[in-house]
C-alpha cells in the first residue's frame, strides 16, 4: 500500500468516526465540535470522551440492574 493509499484510508476512517457523533455529543462536550473537520487529534479526543460517556452509561445500567436483581431476590 502506497503513502497516498494509506492517507486516503486514514481520511476515510476519520470520516467514519465523525459520523458516530450527534447533537447529544455536542451537549455533553458543552460546545460545537467543528474542529473535528480539520483536526485529526480533535477526532481522537472527542472519541475518547464519547467512549468514557458510554462506559459510564453501561456502569450505571449495571448498577441499576444489580439493584433490581437484589430487590427481586430479597437481598
Amino acid at each position: 500500500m502506497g503513502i497516498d493509499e494509506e492517507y486516503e484510508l486514514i481520511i476515510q476512517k476519520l470520516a467514519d468516526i465523525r459520523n458516530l457523533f450527534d447533537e447529544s455529543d455536542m451537549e455533553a462536550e458543552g460546545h460545537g465540535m467543528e474542529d473535528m473537520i480539520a483536526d485529526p487529534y480533535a477526532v481522537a479526543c472527542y472519541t475518547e470522551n464519547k467512549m468514557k460517556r458510554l462506559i459510564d452509561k453501561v456502569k450505571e445500567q449495571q448498577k441499576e440492574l444489580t439493584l433490581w436483581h437484589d430487590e427481586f431476590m430479597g437481598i
Side-chain angles (χ1 to χ4, degrees), residues 1 9 14 16 23 33 44-45 47 57 62 65 72-73:
M1 182 180 296
L9 182 61
L14 288 172
D16 292 344
E23 291 290 323
M33 298 183 300
C45 290
T47 302
K57 264 186 179 177
Q62 287 174 330
L65 185 57
F72 181 77
M73 297 299 287

Side-chain angles (χ1 to χ4, degrees), residues 14 39-49:
L14 288 172
D39 185 1
Y41 181 71
V43 175
C45 290
Y46 290 130
T47 302
E48 179 182 20
N49 292 345

Side-chain angles (χ1 to χ4, degrees), residues 50-60 62:
K50 182 173 183 113
M51 289 174 65
K52 288 177 182 176
R53 286 192 300 275
L54 291 173
I55 289 168
D56 288 345
K57 264 186 179 177
V58 168
K59 286 179 180 178
E60 184 61 33
Q62 287 174 330

